[in-house]
Amino acid sequence: MSLKGKVAWITGGGSGIGLAGAIELAKAGAHVVISGRTAATNASALKQVQARGSAEVLQLEVGDNKAVLKAAADILLRHKRIDILINSAGTNLGKRHLGNMSVEGWDDVVRINLSGLFYCCQAVLPAMRAQKDGLIINVSSWAGRYPSMLTGPAYNATKRAVIALSESINLEECINGIRATSVLPGEVATPILEKRPVPPSNEERAKMLQAEDLGQTLLFLASMPARACVNELIISPTWNRLYIGGLEKAKA
């Protein structure tokens, strides 16, 4: 399916998976609206995307429902449509385990990873219903299907919930031509890794999925015909540390 003339809104578009997706969709002809929390990051990302195609930027905190509704209304006012929503905004904690995680930390992860994602979905659904067409891609995680000590319970729980929310959209909105996909990446070498208690080494990051791999994945999903719904897509690095750790324990 051609993306020319399509309008795509990408949250968390200032860096990592969101930025990589924005670049690929812009190259394919979509007009891309990227949003993120940080003005400097947004400005840098906008230059990169505009070098490949048509783009604009919104500063947005997805955990603020009123701000999300305003952002969606602004996009619709300018472009009259939103064809694709990619929810890539996400966060995690440094102190992320049950023994050291604060209630405030838990609330922050839920606010961004789950509530913020829901706010964005809810904001675009009326326009997509009117169009009788729309694609929502929710970036979940390998940890949403296979919980990990690396990621911690708040991240694991919210990313599992994203999968359920995506399927709920398909349950209720398929009659309106709207489809949703959960993308479950394994380890990706993006800036969120710096929040880990022990950030991976450069050697380890080189073996992970790269942001551009997920950019290509998002482009594939966005290019599928409207009759096709990819409910869930799991992608991991070939050198999968979660598998390798299990092999090492089995050999011990």
Side-chain angles (χ1 to χ4, degrees), residues 69-250:
L69 290 171
K70 183 179 184 303
D74 287 348
I75 296 169
L76 289 167
L77 181 65
R78 287 192 299 278
H79 304 290
K80 311 303 180 189
R81 61 189 303 111
I82 298 174
D83 300 287
I84 301 165
L85 169 66
I86 299 177
N87 280 307
S88 186
T91 191
N92 204 351
L93 305 170
K95 295 180 178 180
R96 61 185 59 178
H97 300 297
L98 294 174
N100 62 10
M101 178 176 55
S102 68
V103 171
E104 293 77 14
W106 169 276
D107 288 344
D108 190 55
V109 174
V110 172
R111 181 175 59 86
I112 301 299
N113 291 4
L114 182 55
S115 295
L117 182 143
F118 168 74
Y119 297 155
C120 293
C121 292
Q122 191 80 336
V124 302
L125 282 172
M128 290 183 173
R129 290 185 191 115
Q131 295 164 192
K132 289 293 181 180
D133 179 66
L135 171 64
I136 297 173
I137 302 174
N138 293 323
V139 179
S140 177
S141 171
W142 177 275
R145 180 63 66 201
Y146 309 107
S148 166
M149 284 289 291
L150 278 172
T151 43
Y155 193 86
N156 294 344
T158 54
K159 293 301 186 178
R160 176 71 65 88
V162 166
I163 299 170
L165 176 58
S166 300
E167 198 54 33
S168 295
I169 292 170
N170 290 329
L171 280 166
E172 295 191 25
E173 300 294 342
C174 64
I175 58 172
N176 294 314
I178 299 168
R179 58 208 189 279
T181 300
S182 293
V183 179
L184 284 61
E187 288 188 294
V188 188
T190 63
I192 199 172
L193 295 179
E194 293 302 321
K195 289 194 172 185
R196 286 188 180 175
V198 181
S201 67
N202 289 337
E203 181 182 2
E204 290 169 328
R205 295 182 199 214
K207 296 178 180 178
M208 295 178 183
L209 293 169
Q210 302 301 304
E212 55 264 32
D213 302 329
L214 271 297
Q216 288 287 326
T217 302
L218 296 174
L219 175 61
F220 159 72
L221 293 169
S223 301
M224 290 291 286
R227 64 178 176 270
C229 177
V230 181
N231 299 62
E232 187 175 305
L233 191 154
I234 303 176
I235 179 171
S236 69
T238 303
W239 188 82
N240 191 329
R241 289 202 297 172
L242 299 174
Y243 286 166
I244 292 166
L247 285 171
E248 289 173 348
K249 288 178 182 178

Side-chain angles (χ1 to χ4, degrees), residues 3 8-35 41-56 86 88 210-220 222-223:
L3 297 186
W9 177 17
I10 303 181
T11 73
S15 64
I17 293 171
L19 175 56
I23 288 171
E24 293 300 331
L25 267 64
K27 285 165 58 178
H31 176 75
V32 177
V33 182
I34 58 175
S35 63
T41 303
N42 286 345
S44 173
L46 181 61
K47 288 181 181 178
Q48 295 179 63
V49 181
Q50 285 183 329
R52 276 83 167 189
S54 178
E56 62 186 271
I86 299 177
S88 186
Q210 302 301 304
E212 55 264 32
D213 302 329
L214 271 297
Q216 288 287 326
T217 302
L218 296 174
L219 175 61
F220 159 72
S223 301

